[in-house]
Amino acid sequence: MAVRAVGSSTVFRSASSSASSPTLLSFRCCPCHFTTLQFRRFSKLGIRFPIFRSGKLAPGHGGVQSTSVHGLVNSVMEELGALRRRRLVRAAANGWIVEDKLVSRTLQQGLLLEFKKDAERVLLAVAQKPDGKKNWMVSDQNGVTSSIKPQQITYIVPGVENFDHTEISDFIQKAQDNSDPALLEFAWVELLEKNKRLTAEELAEMIFGSVEPLECYCAHLLLSEDEVYFTVLETKGSRSIYGPRPALQVEELLCRKLAKEAAEKELQEFKQLLKSAKAMPLDAKPPKSSWLVEEKIRHKIESLEAYAIDACTIDDQRKTAGIILRTMGMVKTASSALNLLIDIGYFPEHVNLDLLKLNIRTDHSDEVISSAEHLLSDSSDSDEIERRDLTHLKVYAIDGDEADELDDALSATRLQDGHIKIWIHVADATRFLQPGSIVDREAMRRGTSVFLPTATYPMFPEKLAIEGMSMQQGEICNAVTVSVVLHSNGSIAEYSVDNSIIKPTYMLTYESASELLHLNLQEEAELKILSEAATLRSIWHREQGAIDTATLEARIKVVNPEDPQPVINLYVENQADPAMRLVTEMVVLCGEVIATFGSRNNIPLPYRGQPQSNIDTSVFAHLPEGPVRSSALVKLMRAAEIDFRKPIRHGILGLPGYVQFTSPIRRYMDLLAHYQVKAFLAGESLPFSAGQLEGMASIVNMNVRVARRLFISSLRYWILEYLRRQPKEKEYRVLILRFIKDRIAAILLIEVGLQSSVWVSVGAQIGDEVLVRVEEAHPRDDVLLLKEVVI
């Protein structure tokens, strides 16, 4: 045998092997490799380790003389051989030597056996008695008696009769104490040289010099749990024959084993990080950013996050998340991953999963922000000369109290002939933009600002949207103004579209505007004129076939949404409210004018329409006006359509044509209409053809639908969270909208503005109000169970 050292390992080669022989053995057995425990175990076997010295000092090791590895290994092999020969005689005398390696012992009472309990567990047991023709009753190491099939038996310990099952645990402990995997390396070296096969009993005789029951079971454990040195060549019943793996394969498996051990160590360290973070109080938990610094930790955290939101892009993420959950003793589900991330503080308790799943853009890139700030610093206005000065008008900007971007405002007066003139001022967002610019492309990708109970994600960078584009009270603002004179019946007598400058007088919420209307103050006569115009328009719309779909809608503002118990401010918005009616009618009037203006001047625009299948509203006259009737009518409506060449009828609004124009800061389709109209007013070529508008709209509308879906799911989540927090005994008024099946009714919770369903008692009719209690509310699972309060 020749020997050469490689690093900290020693490579053995048979003297008869050629240089290219595959019997190259990567056998780690330098003296420093042996642990004190391993030396003791060899000493227990009667092996003595002579020290071979070269007589020379090893370079770099001072006065310590080098040990001859060759001599050590030969000594081990010789001692093992001698010990084996001495004990072989005793083994033969006791009848423990197996003649036929695959002859299984006949199962009988008192035998000690190992069996496979399930896919994960292998247990040791004592055979008690037959159970039918083939099965046996056994008592295992846990004291459990069960029936097993012959094919479950993986090993019968030889040399054992009438074993006491109460001693199994001690037997297992001794076997584990003596099962040192390092012993397999010695056996593998010798067997590979001789290309020899062996059984567990032969391995026991080889490495322990004994085939007593304990040594045989130790050998069996070593072989059955080994994944490196030996492989099963043949199996019959409970007996197997093993053979040494080729050296190159062992080398590869050792590398894999080391990698696996390193991965397991890394996993256990990560587990401790998770457990530590879980145990911390909320205010002391590590910030989200700290989990993303180190690559290995970031990969695991991102895998858990992807699994929690069902967004695993590669199998490795799904596999990694599953391993982590199993290590933490958790079920392999998305909800488990979510709860874990919440427990460690990576996610807040009320994390918006849909926001993550839908991949909504919440921040603008540095490039977009920088470009927006540059636009804001440029005060030039190409339309300055052409703008009409309307700063003398009293201007009302009316919007929800959560609005940061104010797109539109209103003015009105009564002319000397008694007709009403209205000005609808729309923020001139395109003053800062060029089609195809960095900021414009980002706005198109977003399609819309996203309004959620917890936050607003604007279509434009916030500073540009609020400080540059949005209307400001008392400040000179650039606008595109649509002015309209109405006939006495509410139809349009004349109109114009102009670039303008205005100076907003009031910034009002719907509530404050309604209060002003109710007070009927003489100094706010213009607001009263606007309300009168809105009433005329509403009557005229209905005469044209418009359908009233006003209902109740919930609005929620969540304060500090990352807190475990954030403040939830809920209010119900009545779309029939005077101020909301006023604004809605003026927005629709503006859309009608722009559609007419575009049609007369052949301007390609996103003309919106809604086909109407000749809905006879008189059929629903017996239903109460308001949410009940609106609910019935909405179910009959068809989806909206868009034409980019000419206006199409909008049946719901009762208009021959309609273009959304009043929200260019919030909606990209409105911004496209502004690009087209502004270019026409300037006498320039239109930036987009009808075909180009259609292509852009397909992208924009897809993103708008996603944002709408997110808004609906987020609103519902927080309404359910609001209901979950209320006292169980609290009662709610609900309005029966229709019956779904039998006594299950679709209802509207009046105080909450949420539609749901509940079983109602016999006698309740559509339009009736009944009382309900909340039985269960689970926002994360989108579950709401109501029960009628029967008086």
Side-chain angles (χ1 to χ4, degrees):
M1 176 185 289
V3 62
R4 62 184 178 89
V6 180
S8 62
S9 300
T10 303
V11 179
F12 292 84
R13 186 185 300 278
S14 168
S16 61
S17 302
S18 65
S20 60
S21 170
T23 59
L24 180 65
L25 312 179
S26 189
F27 178 41
R28 302 172 298 154
C29 65
C30 69
C32 60
H33 178 73
F34 292 115
T35 65
T36 302
L37 179 61
Q38 289 167 343
F39 272 111
R40 287 175 180 171
R41 285 177 177 165
F42 284 123
S43 297
K44 287 180 180 179
L45 297 177
I47 299 174
R48 298 291 178 265
F49 294 93
I51 301 205
F52 299 88
R53 302 193 182 278
S54 64
K56 296 181 181 179
L57 295 179
H61 290 76
V64 180
Q65 293 180 310
S66 62
T67 301
S68 170
V69 177
H70 186 187
L72 173 61
V73 175
N74 282 344
S75 174
V76 170
M77 292 304 183
E78 288 171 5
E79 287 291 332
L80 282 174
L83 187 60
R84 189 163 59 247
R85 287 190 294 273
R86 287 195 300 271
R87 295 192 176 181
L88 191 60
V89 176
R90 184 162 58 88
N94 290 322
W96 294 339
I97 297 179
V98 181
E99 296 296 332
D100 186 341
K101 293 183 179 182
L102 287 179
V103 172
S104 297
R105 294 187 63 183
T106 302
L107 202 57
Q108 60 188 41
Q109 186 177 0
L111 290 184
L112 184 61
L113 58 88
E114 183 187 81
F115 73 97
K116 200 165 189 178
K117 180 70 174 177
D118 50 43
E120 299 276 329
R121 295 179 296 167
V122 174
L123 302 178
L124 210 56
V126 175
Q128 299 294 343
K129 61 180 180 179
D131 182 30
K133 292 183 178 181
K134 296 183 178 181
N135 296 353
W136 270 78
M137 298 297 294
V138 299
S139 295
D140 63 35
Q141 62 201 61
N142 300 318
V144 177
T145 301
S146 57
S147 176
I148 64 171
K149 299 176 181 179
Q151 53 266 39
Q152 288 179 258
I153 300 173
T154 53
Y155 188 66
I156 298 176
V157 180
V160 174
E161 293 181 2
N162 300 319
F163 196 90
D164 185 351
H165 76 273
T166 61
E167 297 179 1
I168 295 178
S169 295
D170 290 340
F171 185 86
I172 292 174
Q173 188 60 53
K174 290 177 182 178
Q176 290 174 344
D177 290 344
N178 286 280
S179 298
D180 185 355
L183 297 172
L184 283 178
E185 298 183 38
F186 289 100
W188 174 72
V189 171
E190 183 172 343
L191 293 169
L192 185 63
E193 293 270 343
K194 298 176 181 179
N195 193 25
K196 187 177 179 181
R197 312 179 338 160
L198 82 170
T199 62
E201 292 78 13
E202 289 174 323
L203 178 65
E205 189 271 331
M206 180 179 183
I207 62 176
F208 297 117
S210 169
V211 284
E212 292 181 9
L214 181 60
E215 282 75 8
C216 287
Y217 188 61
C218 287
H220 165 73
L221 285 180
L222 288 171
L223 287 170
S224 62
E225 295 174 1
D226 173 53
E227 297 178 348
V228 177
Y229 297 102
F230 290 89
T231 184
V232 177
L233 299 177
E234 197 173 352
T235 298
K236 185 176 181 182
S238 62
R239 294 182 61 76
S240 298
I241 296 178
Y242 299 84
R245 297 181 190 269
L248 291 178
Q249 186 179 11
V250 167
E251 186 175 358
E252 181 182 347
L253 291 172
L254 279 172
C255 290
R256 289 185 189 176
K257 183 181 179 183
L258 290 173
K260 184 178 179 181
E261 289 171 353
E264 180 60 27
K265 180 183 177 183
E266 187 181 296
L267 179 63
Q268 292 304 316
E269 290 173 350
F270 184 68
K271 176 183 177 181
Q272 288 306 118
L273 279 177
L274 295 176
K275 291 178 70 174
S276 175
K278 284 181 67 176
M280 292 178 182
L282 183 63
D283 58 354
K285 292 183 185 294
K288 181 177 181 179
S289 58
S290 68
W291 296 95
L292 305 176
V293 175
E294 189 178 335
E295 171 62 30
K296 293 178 180 178
I297 294 177
R298 184 172 72 246
H299 170 68
K300 292 179 176 63
I301 281 290
E302 289 178 344
S303 295
L304 279 173
E305 180 177 350
Y307 195 78
I309 64 174
D310 195 25
C312 292
T313 55
I314 54 177
D315 289 339
D316 178 63
Q317 287 183 321
R318 193 174 290 104
K319 181 181 177 182
T320 300
I323 291 172
I324 294 169
L325 292 173
R326 185 173 66 249
T327 302
M328 294 295 292
M330 303 176 74
V331 181
K332 188 181 173 182
T333 61
S335 60
S336 292
L338 172 64
N339 290 334
L340 178 57
L341 291 170
I342 290 173
D343 288 343
I344 66 173
Y346 183 80
F347 279 159
E349 184 173 338
H350 298 287
V351 58
N352 192 329
L353 292 183
D354 286 333
L355 182 65
L356 299 174
K357 289 178 181 179
L358 297 173
N359 198 26
I360 297 293
R361 297 168 184 258
T362 57
D363 298 312
H364 288 86
S365 68
D366 292 341
E367 181 186 22
V368 172
I369 292 173
S370 175
S371 180
E373 290 178 349
H374 176 72
L375 293 173
L376 195 58
S377 65
D378 183 3
S379 59
S380 62
D381 177 15
S382 60
D383 300 308
E384 184 176 5
I385 298 175
E386 304 298 327
R387 291 191 185 277
R388 292 186 61 191
D389 187 348
L390 301 177
T391 54
H392 63 283
L393 295 173
K394 184 180 283 188
V395 178
Y396 298 89
I398 306 172
D399 211 329
D401 59 1
E402 75 280 1
D404 295 319
E405 312 153 343
L406 296 175
D407 297 87
D408 54 79
L410 306 170
S411 300
T413 191
R414 193 180 302 277
L415 302 176
Q416 290 183 351
D417 60 5
H419 290 151
I420 295 174
K421 183 172 183 178
I422 301 163
W423 290 266
I424 302 148
H425 313 290
V426 184
D428 188 2
T430 59
R431 173 206 161 187
F432 295 94
L433 303 171
Q434 288 295 325
S437 65
I438 293 174
V439 175
D440 173 73
R441 290 198 307 271
E442 177 64 16
M444 187 181 76
R445 279 192 287 267
R446 291 170 180 260
T448 180
S449 293
V450 179
F451 299 94
L452 303 179
T454 53
T456 297
Y457 303 110
M459 185 170 74
F460 292 107
E462 187 174 356
K463 191 173 182 180
L464 176 63
I466 296 176
E467 296 182 16
M469 298 175 173
S470 179
M471 294 183 177
Q472 306 288 334
Q473 184 174 356
E475 301 290 334
I476 300 296
C477 302
N478 292 324
V480 177
T481 296
V482 172
S483 60
V484 185
V485 177
L486 296 179
H487 285 300
S488 57
N489 66 351
S491 62
I492 298 172
E494 58 182 84
Y495 70 85
S496 66
V497 180
D498 303 283
N499 292 307
S500 66
I501 55 171
I502 61 169
K503 189 176 183 179
T505 312
Y506 295 114
M507 298 295 187
L508 302 174
T509 64
Y510 290 119
E511 289 80 3
S512 58
S514 292
E515 187 176 347
L516 281 176
L517 286 169
H518 178 71
L519 292 174
N520 195 21
L521 300 175
Q522 185 62 38
E523 57 267 32
E524 302 301 337
E526 294 87 351
L527 188 61
K528 185 174 178 58
I529 294 172
L530 281 169
S531 179
E532 183 182 336
T535 300
L536 288 175
R537 289 291 297 171
S538 179
I539 294 171
W540 182 80
H541 281 153
R542 293 193 185 193
E543 290 173 351
Q544 308 307 309
I547 297 174
D548 185 3
T549 59
T551 186
L552 303 178
E553 284 192 352
R555 287 290 179 266
I556 283 183
K557 195 71 175 178
V558 180
V559 182
N560 298 324
E562 297 203 352
D563 289 350
Q565 292 289 320
V567 176
I568 302 175
N569 296 318
L570 181 146
Y571 62 95
V572 178
E573 195 174 78
N574 186 348
Q575 294 175 346
D577 174 84
M580 289 203 72
R581 284 280 196 188
L582 186 159
V583 172
T584 299
E585 288 295 344
M586 295 304 104
V587 166
V588 171
L589 174 60
C590 180
E592 181 184 359
V593 170
I594 294 298
T596 304
F597 179 77
S599 176
R600 289 183 178 177
N601 295 290
N602 296 314
I603 304 174
L605 291 169
Y607 297 100
R608 290 182 174 271
Q610 194 159 26
Q612 184 176 322
S613 304
N614 297 318
I615 299 175
D616 185 0
T617 56
S618 63
V619 175
F620 302 94
H622 66 287
L623 296 175
E625 193 173 2
V628 175
R629 189 182 297 178
S630 294
S631 174
L633 290 168
V634 166
K635 288 187 68 64
L636 300 178
M637 294 179 185
R638 293 162 61 185
E641 297 176 356
I642 302 181
D643 192 298
F644 298 92
R645 293 168 176 79
K646 62 183 185 304
I648 53 177
R649 178 168 174 75
H650 200 300
I652 304 304
L653 299 179
L655 299 177
Y658 178 69
V659 174
Q660 287 185 333
F661 194 76
T662 57
S663 296
I665 308 176
R666 309 180 192 185
R667 297 189 302 234
Y668 192 78
M669 292 302 292
D670 292 43
L671 188 71
L672 285 178
H674 274 248
Y675 278 136
Q676 298 290 84
V677 169
K678 289 268 293 177
F680 180 84
L681 292 177
E684 300 171 353
S685 299
L686 300 181
F688 305 112
S689 66
Q692 288 173 317
L693 287 176
E694 187 171 4
M696 297 164 73
S698 64
I699 298 171
V700 172
N701 288 333
M702 180 176 64
N703 293 331
V704 169
R705 285 192 292 270
V706 170
R708 177 65 181 169
R709 198 168 92 201
L710 174 62
F711 167 76
I712 292 171
S713 67
S714 301
L715 181 65
R716 181 173 173 84
Y717 176 93
W718 286 104
I719 292 175
L720 295 188
E721 175 63 15
Y722 173 85
L723 292 172
R724 185 187 69 81
R725 297 187 190 181
Q726 303 309 304
K728 288 292 184 183
E729 65 276 9
K730 185 174 180 179
E731 297 178 356
Y732 301 86
R733 291 186 303 128
V734 303
L735 187 64
I736 298 177
L737 302 177
R738 64 184 183 278
F739 284 97
I740 300 171
K741 183 180 180 182
D742 298 329
R743 302 308 300 172
I744 300 176
I747 53 92
L748 174 67
L749 281 90
I750 297 172
E751 296 100 332
V752 181
L754 176 71
Q755 291 193 22
S756 187
S757 62
V758 68
W759 187 95
V760 295
S761 56
V762 176
Q765 301 296 321
I766 293 174
D768 287 352
E769 282 189 19
V770 297
L771 294 175
V772 300
R773 286 197 184 101
V774 175
E775 293 286 296
E776 291 184 45
H778 303 294
R780 187 64 70 194
D781 300 321
D782 192 24
V783 172
L784 177 63
L785 296 180
L786 305 174
K787 186 176 182 179
E788 182 186 12
V789 177
V790 180
I791 302 175

